[in-house]
Amino acid sequence: MFLDGEERETAYHLLSDGPNGYAKVLELKPPIDFVSGSCSVVDSCAGLLCLTENDDVLYGRVVYFWNPSVRRIITIRNSSCEGISKEFSWISPGCGYDFDAGVFKLVRIIYDSPNCEAPYDLEKTEIEVYNLSTGSWRKIENLVVNWIIYCQLRILYVNGFVNWLAFHPERHDEDLIVAFDVKSEDFRTLELPDLEMEGDYRGPLLKEYKDMLAFFVCGNFAALEGTGTWSLWVMREYGVTNSWERLFNVVTEQRIVWSLGVTKNCDILLLTPDSKVVAYDFKEQEVKNLGLPKYCPHSCFLITYMESLLLLDEQANLDGHMD
């Protein structure tokens, strides 16, 4: 797994989460200088990390595919959509792997609206898909877009779908999940469970739990104290609304500002107000300090990484630049 490093210096710590705890294996840095000085993680799958510039204007416009195992990185700068060149467009990227075809894909949703703010002209929304194998774009036409993706929240690839948290433009208090089928290149929407039991909540944040779609929500949130109870919800059967299950709560005496995700050991990694990463052990019901460096709260991510040979034989093509 990787943890994105300090705000202005991008570094990744590869950790092993074995039965005896967590150990830092090595530190990696992308072999490229980012235009904005640092990058943001879109997601990771099939051994590739998808990165984008950590900048309000460049976010989603310039995208990188990086395979640390073979030390290759590809930069994607162009587009098939007119909206990509508009200063006030904002973009939500996502990535996934079609295991049947052996193809890695990038999908971009381009909204004609400045800084994720109303008014939204959804009829001008453009969607395109990039095929890494062919180096070509395909625009998705005639799709009725009646949802807004939340800006720069965690995107999750799971069960063959890229998943975003979104809301209805006319009903801001009604969240939903927008899912893109990487194989068929179709979209669908998924309902969230009833969160009334969470009280005044913050979130949700999309995560993965044992290869299932999941999310964290901070319930009974007290704004002044910055405290609450973190709950983990899991969709047992992907796409089936009534399969949502509230698994467990994280209740600590320590203030928590961010939930990073769940490890293979089923520990939950959390970020404290002093920028430390801690692990909540459900078996012992205690918080463990991992002894990791401090991280910037808004540029810290937890992702699962597996080694692969993708990009090993990849050549620069018309659409991408091999660095």
Side-chain angles (χ1 to χ4, degrees):
M1 71 190 77
F2 283 80
L3 287 167
D4 194 358
E6 298 172 352
E7 185 175 13
R8 302 309 299 178
E9 183 180 354
T10 300
Y12 297 84
H13 294 147
L14 179 61
L15 309 178
S16 64
D17 51 345
N20 298 321
Y22 299 88
K24 179 179 172 181
V25 179
L26 74 162
E27 179 176 302
L28 297 172
K29 294 185 179 181
I32 195 170
D33 294 326
F34 296 104
V35 178
S36 60
S38 64
C39 71
S40 181
V41 177
V42 176
D43 203 358
S44 171
C45 64
L48 287 189
L49 276 78
C50 184
L51 312 173
T52 187
E53 292 285 341
N54 188 17
D55 178 86
D56 289 341
V57 174
L58 295 177
Y59 185 91
R61 284 179 165 82
V62 182
V63 178
Y64 308 90
F65 296 140
W66 177 38
N67 186 340
S69 298
V70 299
R71 301 181 180 180
R72 292 287 186 91
I73 191 167
I74 284 182
T75 306
I76 309 299
R77 292 189 176 91
N78 74 342
S79 169
S80 63
C81 296
E82 294 180 2
I84 201 80
S85 60
K86 294 181 179 180
E87 181 180 356
F88 295 113
S89 294
W90 65 272
I91 302 161
S92 183
C95 66
Y97 191 70
D98 181 350
F99 283 90
D100 290 339
V103 175
F104 193 89
K105 297 180 182 179
L106 166 71
V107 56
R108 285 197 293 210
I109 304 171
I110 304 168
Y111 289 97
D112 190 272
S113 176
N115 302 321
C116 314
E117 297 176 355
Y120 308 101
D121 190 348
L122 294 183
E123 292 184 358
K124 294 182 179 180
T125 301
E126 296 180 289
I127 300 175
E128 61 181 357
V129 179
Y130 178 81
N131 185 312
L132 181 59
S133 296
T134 63
S136 60
W137 290 99
R138 185 181 81 85
K139 289 187 67 173
I140 295 181
E141 307 283 0
N142 303 318
L143 178 68
V144 178
V145 176
N146 57 1
W147 30 257
I148 306 290
I149 303 295
Y150 278 106
C151 271
Q152 300 187 20
L153 284 185
R154 173 67 196 276
I155 297 140
L156 183 69
Y157 171 78
V158 67
N159 293 110
F161 287 81
V162 180
N163 299 272
W164 296 266
L165 190 67
F167 63 91
H168 290 287
E170 303 300 328
R171 305 186 298 277
H172 283 251
D173 59 341
E174 186 176 334
D175 290 337
L176 71 153
I177 294 172
V178 172
F180 172 75
D181 188 330
V182 175
K183 182 178 180 179
S184 67
E185 299 186 0
D186 294 324
F187 280 85
R188 63 187 296 189
T189 58
L190 308 176
E191 293 183 14
L192 294 173
D194 186 355
L195 297 177
E196 285 188 6
M197 68 174 66
E198 303 291 354
D200 184 15
Y201 68 87
R202 294 295 181 271
L205 302 170
L206 294 182
K207 305 293 179 183
E208 181 179 357
Y209 177 77
K210 295 184 176 180
D211 298 321
M212 293 182 288
L213 177 64
F215 69 83
F216 278 107
V217 60
C218 183
N220 302 310
F221 184 81
L224 294 179
E225 293 81 11
T227 59
T229 301
W230 287 94
S231 301
L232 178 66
W233 290 77
V234 173
M235 183 175 258
R236 291 290 188 182
E237 184 177 351
Y238 188 84
V240 179
T241 301
N242 60 13
S243 71
W244 282 112
E245 179 182 352
R246 189 184 194 221
L247 285 191
F248 34 63
N249 298 330
V250 179
V251 182
T252 72
E253 296 179 356
Q254 191 171 11
R255 287 184 59 194
I256 300 298
V257 297
W258 200 252
S259 167
L260 297 177
V262 187
T263 71
K264 289 191 297 184
N265 290 338
C266 294
D267 288 343
I268 293 183
L269 296 195
L270 305 164
L271 199 64
T272 65
D274 58 353
S275 301
K276 291 182 180 179
V277 177
V278 297
Y280 182 80
D281 186 329
F282 278 101
K283 185 177 181 180
E284 303 296 333
Q285 294 189 353
E286 65 179 9
V287 174
K288 299 180 293 186
N289 192 336
L290 301 184
L292 296 173
K294 291 185 177 182
Y295 295 90
C296 176
H298 299 295
S299 62
C300 184
F301 304 86
L302 170 68
I303 55 177
T304 301
Y305 177 74
M306 58 175 285
E307 291 185 320
S308 80
L309 297 179
L310 285 174
L311 301 188
L312 179 62
D313 299 321
E314 196 78 22
Q315 300 297 321
N317 51 53
L318 294 177
D319 214 359
H321 174 68
M322 180 74 74
D323 296 288

